Amino acid sequence: PLPAIFFAIVYTLGYTAQDAREHGWLLDSGGSETPPWGWQCYDLFMEPQKLSWSSILNFSQIANTVALFLVVSFGSCLDIAAVQAGQGSTQDPSQAYEVDFDHELQ
C-alpha cells in the first residue's frame, strides 16, 4: 500500500513519474521503456519457455525441497501453538489456556 500512497500523492500534486525521477524520488530508468533487469524475472510467468526446466526438475534438489517444506511446516505449527498458549493468563499458570492440538482432527 505504501507505493500506492506515494504515487497517489505524487499525481495529486500534479507531478509525473518523469518529474519524480528528476527530483530523485524515483530511480532513473535510463531512458528505456523496458524495466530494469531485476524486474524481468516476473516475465517468466507470462513466458514459461524462458524457464530453465532442467534446473527446476533437478532431482538432486528434491531432498532439499522436502527438508525445507518440513522445516517451514514445523515452524508454522510451533508459531500456532505459541499463539494459542499465549492466550491464557501469564500471571496465573493455573488459569492458562489448554491447547488442544487435535482440535482440527476431530
Side-chain angles (χ1 to χ4, degrees):
L2 192 56
I5 294 170
F6 169 76
F7 283 105
I9 291 172
V10 167
Y11 289 121
T12 300
L13 295 175
Y15 291 102
T16 64
Q18 185 59 36
D19 294 333
R21 282 188 190 92
E22 290 172 3
H23 290 305
W25 301 337
L26 292 174
L27 293 175
D28 187 18
S29 65
S32 171
E33 291 297 321
T34 60
W37 178 83
W39 291 102
Q40 292 176 358
C41 63
Y42 295 107
D43 291 339
L44 294 176
F45 294 111
M46 299 300 184
E47 300 177 43
Q49 68 272 15
K50 290 185 177 180
L51 288 173
S52 173
W53 291 103
S54 61
S55 297
I56 294 172
L57 301 174
N58 186 352
F59 291 108
S60 65
Q61 295 298 321
I62 290 178
N64 292 339
T65 304
V66 170
L68 178 66
F69 173 78
L70 292 175
V71 167
V72 170
S73 299
F74 185 67
S76 297
C77 291
L78 289 177
D79 288 342
I80 292 169
V83 168
Q84 286 182 351
Q87 291 176 350
S89 171
T90 57
Q91 301 298 326
D92 184 10
S94 66
Q95 305 253 335
Y97 179 76
E98 182 66 31
V99 179
D100 182 13
F101 290 103
D102 296 328
H103 176 73
E104 288 82 13
L105 299 175
Q106 296 175 358

